[in-house]
């Protein structure tokens, strides 16, 4: 009887250890893998946060958060913001991509070019009229400039509007003092850390933004770390 109980307890303990090991391995895989400027790698696009920000699981292992180089898509609360996100998901969501890292942004994200199905993602979004050429931070991207001019002349996407507001100006307007829009959020407005992190990623910019909603108190790139799942 006692031997049987000991064997059962041993089997149960072994199962717990295996489950813990699997969970640990999964947690490590979700952490951003280190990358360097000039590095090129392949992987699969997993989570498309918005038109210019998404996560890629590298073929060599580990995940990397990507911010498109030279491209700024409309914010989710702007006109054509949802359309830009849907287009990015259509082009790269769940698909194999090739990533060429240009630089590492101030929040540790890889600012990179992304190719999917033989095409440059930034060029496709700009050509569709669903993103802007971010000239201030990519002045030499002449092809992006040409595609934006063509999309504007033909009234595609956001250029169907008389005076579309660039997303960098929109962020400045909606993150100023006394903001009363629905974008004015704090950590108490989220149920989990991953939910807050997704919002945080959407409403910051490596180039011109910051943390307009003060979700990252210690400046380490992780929003609302005290929430469940952090």
């Amino acid at each position: 009887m006692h031997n049987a109980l000991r064997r059962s307890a041993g089997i149960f303990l072994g199962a717990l250890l295996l489950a813990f090991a699997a969970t640990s391995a999964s947690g490590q895989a979700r952490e951003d893998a280190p990358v360097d400027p000039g590095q090129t790698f392949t992987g699969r696009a997993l989570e498309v946060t918005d038109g210019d920000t998404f996560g890629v699981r590298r073929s060599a292992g580990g995940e990397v958060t990507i911010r498109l180089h030279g491209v700024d898509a409309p914010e989710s609360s702007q006109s054509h913001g949802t359309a830009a996100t849907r287009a990015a998901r259509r082009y790269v969501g769940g698909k194999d991509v090739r990533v060429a890292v240009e630089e590492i942004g101030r929040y540790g994200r890889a600012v990179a070019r992304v190719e999917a199905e033989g095409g440059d993602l930034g060029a496709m979004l700009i050509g569709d009229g669903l993103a802007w050429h971010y000239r201030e931070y990519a002045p030499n991207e002449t092809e992006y400039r040409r595609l934006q001019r063509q999309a504007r002349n033909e009234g595609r996407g956001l250029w169907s509007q008389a005076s579309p507001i660039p997303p960098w100006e929109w962020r400045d307007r909606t993150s100023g003092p006394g903001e009363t829009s629905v974008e004015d959020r704090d950590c108490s407005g989220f149920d989990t850390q991953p939910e807050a992190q997704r919002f945080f990623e959407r409403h910051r910019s490596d180039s011109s933004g910051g943390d307009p909603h003060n979700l990252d108190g210690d400046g380490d790139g992780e929003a609302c770390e005290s929430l469940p799942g952090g």
Side-chain angles (χ1 to χ4, degrees), residues 1-228:
M1 179 67 174
H2 292 296
N3 289 337
L5 288 174
R6 281 197 295 268
R7 282 197 298 272
S8 297
I11 292 171
F12 179 71
L13 179 60
L16 284 178
L17 290 173
L18 287 173
F20 176 78
T23 302
S24 299
S26 176
Q28 291 174 354
R30 285 194 299 269
E31 295 178 0
D32 266 16
V35 293
D36 297 308
Q39 182 176 350
T40 300
F41 62 87
T42 58
R44 176 158 295 184
L46 299 178
E47 181 179 4
V48 177
T49 304
D50 56 29
D52 54 38
T53 309
F54 46 91
V56 172
R57 184 183 296 281
R58 300 191 308 175
S59 300
E63 293 182 17
V64 181
T65 301
I66 303 296
R67 174 69 163 81
L68 283 182
H69 167 73
V71 175
D72 204 0
E75 297 293 333
S76 58
S77 52
Q78 280 187 271
S79 175
H80 292 85
T82 300
T85 302
R86 288 175 178 169
R89 285 176 179 154
R90 185 172 67 252
Y91 286 134
V92 302
K95 298 178 182 178
D96 294 333
V97 297
R98 181 177 181 273
V99 178
V101 181
E102 294 286 334
E103 60 179 315
I104 304 301
R106 71 177 69 174
Y107 298 106
R109 293 183 296 181
V111 181
R113 302 171 185 272
V114 174
E115 292 184 7
E117 298 184 342
D120 177 273
L121 177 59
M124 291 189 286
L125 292 172
I126 293 172
D128 288 342
L130 294 175
W132 297 70
H133 170 209
Y134 215 160
R135 292 185 62 176
E136 182 178 358
Y137 298 96
N140 298 321
E141 293 293 342
T142 56
E143 178 64 6
Y144 285 0
R145 189 184 314 155
R146 183 190 70 80
L147 289 168
Q148 178 168 300
R149 183 170 58 249
Q150 186 178 61
R152 182 175 61 241
N153 290 341
E154 296 181 7
R156 298 181 203 152
L158 62 89
W159 300 109
S160 62
Q161 304 168 90
S163 300
I165 301 172
W168 53 88
E169 291 185 10
W170 179 272
R171 287 191 293 268
D172 287 342
R173 295 183 186 186
T174 59
S175 62
E179 175 185 349
T180 58
S181 75
V182 294
E183 292 187 47
D184 192 8
R185 305 285 293 275
D186 59 32
C187 291
S188 65
F190 304 96
D191 294 324
T192 66
Q193 192 277 331
E195 179 188 357
Q197 186 70 26
R198 286 193 291 271
F199 181 89
F200 176 60
E201 293 284 348
R202 285 198 303 270
H203 295 277
R204 69 179 184 176
S205 166
D206 288 314
S207 301
S208 65
D211 182 14
H213 304 278
N214 298 314
L215 302 179
D216 179 19
D218 56 8
D220 66 350
E222 298 293 325
C224 304
E225 294 171 88
S226 62
L227 290 176

